[in-house]
């Protein structure tokens, strides 16, 4: 047996699951302080600005201080829905729903370094298609009931174990995730858990919310 094998195998294992924060559906200019508190709670890999039904100029105005904060804290700043807005802001990436345009178009606009994610609901087919098209991650959900988004899709956590066994492309689990119900998704091997309401509505505040998730993720020894 090649003596380097165990080492390489170790390196090829996926890193532990990380937290991907999603903004509340509506925010005001004071939200930058709330985000700062949340980021004080523990490591956050990415923050997605997801503001539905607002025009792009209004989103851009709210985005700038949040983007600056994310840059300071080394948190990837991702814009939801619009590759054009992500480009205009110089965001780190864009998250595309199935109706938000093609990955290839977003890639052309944003370049090689941009993080492009795609909503794939409960579908292996959509995820493989997104992977083929050059997405940087695929998102599955909603794993649990949520009031943040109207969705009829309810994948089983086994979708995450299948995906992570078969593909190296990172996956994100989303939908109604709380510190109390995240463990089966982490056990199934998800690379990220994406969370909105559980952090912003955490009774002791967003800092404690992020800390509660961090405690779970810190215990994730990942995949022997
Ligand atoms: N996509 C599927 S469920 C969902 C999105 C954007 C909402 C996630 O928010 P929450 O509050 O963590 O359920
Ligand atoms: Mg969308």
């Amino acid at each position: 047996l090649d003596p380097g094998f165990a080492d390489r195998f170790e390196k090829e294992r996926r890193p532990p699951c990380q937290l991907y924060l999603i903004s509340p559906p509506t925010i005001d200019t004071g939200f930058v302080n709330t985000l700062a508190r949340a980021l004080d709670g523990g490591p956050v890999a990415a923050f997605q600005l997801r503001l539905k039904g607002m025009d792009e100029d209004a989103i851009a105005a709210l985005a700038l201080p949040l983007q600056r904060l994310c840059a300071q804290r080394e948190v990837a700043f991702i814009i939801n829905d619009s590759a054009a807005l992500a480009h205009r802001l110089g965001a780190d990436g864009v998250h595309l729903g199935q109706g938000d345009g093609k990955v290839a178009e977003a890639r052309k606009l944003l370049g090689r370094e941009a993080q492009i994610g795609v909503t794939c609901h409960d579908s292996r087919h959509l995820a493989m298609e997104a992977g083929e098209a050059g997405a940087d991650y695929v998102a599955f959900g909603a794993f649990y009931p949520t009031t943040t988004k109207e969705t009829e899709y309810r994948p089983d956590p086994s979708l995450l174990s299948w995906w992570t066994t078969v593909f190296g492309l990172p996956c994100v689990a989303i939908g109604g995730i709380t510190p109390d119900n995240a463990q089966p998704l982490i056990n199934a091997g998800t690379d990220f858990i994406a969370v909105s309401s559980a952090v912003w509505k955490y009774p002791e505040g967003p800092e404690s919310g992020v800390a509660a998730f961090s405690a779970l993720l810190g215990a994730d020894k990942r995949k022997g």
Side-chain angles (χ1 to χ4, degrees), residues 89-111:
L89 292 169
D92 297 308
V94 67
H95 184 89
L96 300 175
Q98 286 296 321
D100 293 330
K102 288 193 183 314
V103 173
E105 294 298 318
R107 181 69 66 200
K108 226 185 285 170
L109 192 60
L110 300 175

Side-chain angles (χ1 to χ4, degrees), residues 121-135:
H121 307 304
D122 60 354
S123 169
R124 298 174 178 209
H125 176 82
L126 289 179
M128 288 188 278
E129 204 172 67
E132 285 277 332

Side-chain angles (χ1 to χ4, degrees), residues 36-106:
R37 281 182 59 198
L39 299 182
D40 284 341
V44 172
F47 169 74
Q48 182 191 123
L49 189 58
R50 178 178 182 275
L51 300 173
K52 292 294 190 176
M54 270 180 84
D55 74 78
E56 290 198 351
D57 288 341
I59 299 175
L62 288 164
L64 287 172
L66 305 176
Q67 185 175 8
R68 201 175 313 126
L69 176 64
C70 287
Q72 282 164 5
R73 305 291 192 97
E74 294 184 358
V75 173
F77 182 76
I78 309 291
I79 288 289
N80 188 46
D81 291 338
S82 170
L85 180 58
H87 181 245
R88 166 177 166 186
L89 292 169
D92 297 308
V94 67
H95 184 89
L96 300 175
Q98 286 296 321
D100 293 330
K102 288 193 183 314
V103 173
E105 294 298 318

